[in-house]
Amino acid sequence: MTITATEEQRVPARSAPDRQRTPRASFGRILDAEWTKIRTVRSTTWTLSLLFVVSVGLTGLICWGVAGDLAAGGTDESPGAFATWGLMFGQIAALVLGVIVASAEYSSGMIRTTLAASPRRWSVLLAKAFALGGLLLVLGTATSVASFLTGNFFLGQEGVGLALDDPGVLRTLFGGGLFLAVLGLFGLGLGMLMRHTAGAVTVGIALIFVLGNLVGLVPGALGEWLTKLMPGNAGGSIAVVESFNPDLLDPWVGFAVFSGETALLLLVAGVLFSRRDA
Amino acid sequence: MITAERLTKRYGDKTAVDAIDFTVEPGTVTGFLGPNGAGKSTTMRMVMGLDRPSAGSVTVNGRAYRDLPAPLHEVGALLEAKAIHGGRTAYNHLLWMAKSNGIARRRVDEVIDLVGLTDVASKRSGGFSLGMGQRLGIAAALLGDPGVLLFDEPVNGLDPEGIRWIRTLIRSLAAEGRTVFVSSHLMSEMALTADHLLVVGKGRILADTDMNDFIARNSAGYVRVRSPQAGELAERMTGQGWRVERADDGAMAVYGATAEAIGDIAGAHGLYLHELGGVQASLEDAFMRLTEDSVEYHAGVPGAAHAPDSAADQTHLTPAGV
């Protein structure tokens, strides 16, 4: 590209200090900036598309596959366990998006620009959490509703469909959004803590998906409680009409536990963030 | 105005910045010169509140960076080329920055224009060349029309045209009364842009001086003379108490004299001169000597000879590749 070098040296003269206009990097502005950041990179579009397509697609697929079996009574499972089944996989995208929102700042070095613009680090973290959480709440709810409608369509064809006023159905529709939003924040916390995309995604998947199943192998009551309290297990119940595992915490109790764990993670990440060199 | 007091940064038992004091004044370009690893970038990051000092303090306009209500309006920084997310367009990068500090959208267009990125404003910055990335970084630094500007190694990796562009820009920013703090590991670059010089080595300030003073004190200048009557001329010059050395190519290097004085001597004795010119010893060498051994610097300044005439000065100061 050609750049006009010498004639471009005109820097607009500094306006005389205008004291009426006392600009402030207020929280609202930092939030606006963080929201602008999230919506202007393609990774956001990609992860959210994946979240939607995988969740809705897999739910449709499994419901289409098991509806006949369920109708014939060939399985002990209830239709409610399948109605949003795809979210189990789609949720990985929410976790990854949360991680990226934090870790991409470090992999690109942009964290320095971010903190030069808004040096109050707790405000930056909070703004990121609001922007990400809000986005995932809306798209997560849409995903959850679309998954349910798709899955339920196939279940309904075999006469095992659910009605909106069946127990847990409404809770599931909104719970999906809540769960995905908090899961994204969990990823944000991990990303902030580890400052490395691959590392944080690996740890996140291990904590949410792998360890959640493995701790069940610990014998006795300890194993039972660990299973109940692992973040993925505790939080996931709110996003399904009925859980495959009957020993998990009650959906809302579980969600409260998961939110608490996420808050704790963000708190630790925030303390380190505000202390560490950028 | 940037003020550092006993500013210190330690990493474990390694001291990167060792209790330095300095002031960067408005209206001048202050060069921050030192070899790689001298603590320049660490210092600049501390100015920006990115790294926390282990001891001491640094303020911008009398306040710690973290306490600035809208920092982009007061401080602009080009910290390194890669402080930008490559997946975002140049425009959007500047847009989120503008939003964070309540800067009007039209100012984004203005700075894009100013740095000459108008044609690629809607392209993702990941595909930018080093020079374009640097221009985007400068647009970001100028976004809030700040009175204090920091440039960390701004010419690194740029082509000659880009180097000249940045140099002129830096000079004009200072001419407008802004405080400009530029780091570099190239003495030749500093000689062309800076009015004031802070030399650092191993985390300490080795020199805090006016640029012209530094040049005068640290350059062992001599006058290069060629004459068909070299023998006689050498005798006359030695007779004046000047030191004369024979160069490999038959010319002579005369120390302690000005070109005018030598010309006068030759003329007075009817001697022909085929060449006469002042030669500035490389400032790069002076800088190397300075940073090599910081203790010796204060004891004795090498070669406090007469500065050769200024025309020759300029030619020899201009670094290679410009």
Side-chain angles (χ1 to χ4, degrees):
Chain A
M1 91 179 209
T2 47
I3 288 162
T4 44
T6 40
E7 71 269 30
E8 288 286 358
Q9 296 302 321
R10 48 185 177 85
V11 176
R14 299 203 64 203
S15 44
D18 187 351
R19 287 299 161 219
Q20 288 109 320
R21 171 196 74 129
T22 39
R24 267 195 65 80
S26 60
F27 182 74
R29 283 181 169 150
I30 299 173
L31 181 59
D32 191 6
E34 288 301 331
W35 166 243
T36 307
K37 277 193 209 170
I38 287 188
R39 69 176 175 78
T40 52
V41 285
R42 288 195 301 187
S43 54
T44 305
T45 320
W46 278 110
T47 44
L48 290 177
S49 305
L50 221 61
L51 168 68
F52 190 86
V53 171
V54 168
S55 300
V56 177
L58 287 183
T59 303
L61 204 63
I62 189 101
C63 288
W64 171 73
V66 299
D69 224 11
L70 287 169
T75 166
D76 298 340
E77 306 294 350
S78 94
F82 295 98
T84 53
W85 189 79
L87 247 67
M88 219 193 298
F89 299 92
Q91 61 177 322
I92 296 176
L95 176 78
V96 170
L97 179 64
V99 167
I100 289 177
V101 163
S103 62
E105 293 255 1
Y106 287 97
S107 59
S108 67
M110 202 179 72
I111 189 68
R112 300 196 174 109
T113 311
T114 298
L115 293 178
S118 342
R120 277 166 295 274
R121 300 190 180 188
W122 280 103
S123 300
V124 171
L125 180 59
L126 209 62
K128 279 188 186 298
F130 270 65
L132 173 76
L135 179 63
L136 280 174
L137 186 62
V138 172
L139 265 130
T141 306
T143 303
S144 176
V145 169
S147 296
F148 177 82
L149 291 179
T150 309
N152 203 40
F153 168 78
F154 290 110
L155 296 175
Q157 291 214 314
E158 295 293 335
V160 288
L162 299 156
L164 269 186
D165 53 2
D166 278 351
V169 170
L170 263 179
R171 190 253 305 140
T172 302
L173 297 184
F174 292 101
L178 285 171
F179 172 61
L180 292 172
V182 177
L183 185 61
L185 297 181
F186 193 83
L188 176 69
L190 282 176
M192 220 66 193
L193 211 57
M194 301 183 61
R195 305 193 281 190
H196 189 275
T197 309
V201 168
T202 308
V203 168
I205 289 180
L207 274 175
I208 302 276
F209 305 102
V210 183
L211 277 179
N213 292 321
L214 284 184
V215 287
L217 299 176
V218 176
L222 178 65
E224 255 172 59
W225 274 104
L226 281 176
T227 306
K228 284 182 206 281
L229 295 178
M230 282 307 284
N233 299 345
S237 301
I238 199 176
V240 291
V241 180
E242 209 166 312
S243 183
F244 285 112
N245 185 346
D247 296 331
L248 294 182
L249 292 171
D250 176 76
W252 286 109
V253 176
F255 182 68
V257 168
F258 180 47
S259 301
E261 287 164 344
T262 303
L264 190 67
L265 179 66
L266 281 172
L267 195 70
V268 174
V271 167
L272 282 175
F273 179 46
S274 63
R275 286 193 185 162
R276 286 199 283 212
D277 291 341
Chain B
M1 171 118 121
I2 303 169
T3 312
E5 282 169 2
R6 312 295 297 161
L7 186 62
T8 306
K9 183 70 184 179
R10 283 183 289 267
Y11 297 105
D13 53 0
K14 185 184 167 291
T15 303
V17 176
D18 196 358
I20 62 174
D21 294 287
F22 65 84
T23 306
V24 182
E25 302 280 354
T28 59
V29 177
T30 300
F32 197 31
L33 181 68
N36 293 331
K40 301 188 299 291
S41 296
T42 307
T43 302
M44 286 202 157
R45 286 203 303 272
M46 286 193 285
V47 174
M48 302 291 297
L50 297 172
D51 287 13
R52 192 183 286 264
S54 310
S57 69
V58 59
T59 59
V60 184
N61 297 336
R63 276 194 277 200
Y65 194 93
R66 284 180 192 220
D67 297 332
L68 299 174
L72 297 183
H73 290 269
E74 294 193 55
V75 187
L78 175 74
L79 280 188
E80 57 212 293
K82 251 191 118 281
I84 292 162
H85 189 296
R88 200 171 278 119
T89 66
Y91 181 85
N92 284 331
H93 176 68
L94 296 169
L95 181 64
W96 79 253
M97 288 184 75
K99 287 187 169 189
S100 71
N101 275 241
I103 296 165
R105 210 176 252 263
R106 76 183 133 72
R107 178 65 186 162
V108 173
D109 296 315
E110 235 171 75
V111 290
I112 285 176
D113 247 18
L114 179 72
V115 300
L117 287 179
T118 316
D119 293 345
V120 291
S122 59
K123 295 228 160 46
R124 282 192 299 278
S125 64
F128 281 14
S129 68
L130 198 57
M132 288 154 79
Q134 207 78 330
R135 280 167 190 270
L136 179 53
I138 287 174
L142 297 175
L143 191 61
D145 194 20
V148 177
L149 287 139
L150 284 85
F151 297 96
D152 195 5
E153 305 274 0
V155 302
N156 259 11
L158 292 186
D159 59 10
E161 196 200 347
I163 292 177
R164 199 177 51 189
W165 179 78
I166 288 196
R167 234 182 242 155
T168 322
L169 178 78
I170 286 173
R171 300 276 348 147
S172 68
L173 289 167
E176 287 165 2
R178 297 175 212 250
T179 304
V180 185
F181 194 34
V182 186
S183 84
S184 178
H185 60 272
L186 298 173
M187 179 67 220
S188 48
E189 187 53 42
M190 289 286 94
L192 286 167
T193 43
D195 309 301
H196 194 86
L197 195 60
L198 284 171
V199 182
V200 282
K202 292 177 190 154
R204 290 172 171 277
I205 302 273
L206 304 179
D208 183 344
T209 167
D210 184 77
M211 181 53 102
N212 292 330
D213 282 0
F214 180 82
I215 292 173
R217 280 187 293 128
N218 286 281
S219 46
Y222 63 93
V223 180
R224 191 177 147 87
V225 192
R226 190 194 295 273
S227 166
Q229 298 128 311
E232 194 187 343
L233 181 60
E235 239 169 71
R236 300 284 177 200
M237 293 193 293
T238 317
Q240 296 287 322
W242 304 332
R243 188 160 58 87
V244 179
E245 279 174 16
R246 294 268 177 187
D248 297 338
D249 58 355
M252 293 177 286
V254 185
Y255 293 87
T258 63
E260 290 89 341
I262 294 171
D264 291 350
I265 292 274
H269 296 91
L271 301 171
Y272 291 103
L273 291 181
H274 288 177
E275 185 184 341
L276 178 66
V279 176
Q280 182 85 55
S282 148
L283 281 175
E284 215 69 61
D285 290 345
F287 165 55
M288 295 293 274
R289 282 200 301 276
L290 190 57
T291 48
E292 226 168 50
D293 194 342
S294 57
V295 184
E296 269 195 8
Y297 171 75
H298 298 290
V301 182
H306 293 276
D309 74 79
S310 55
D313 229 345
Q314 286 307 314
T315 31
H316 291 280
L317 271 178
T318 309
V322 179

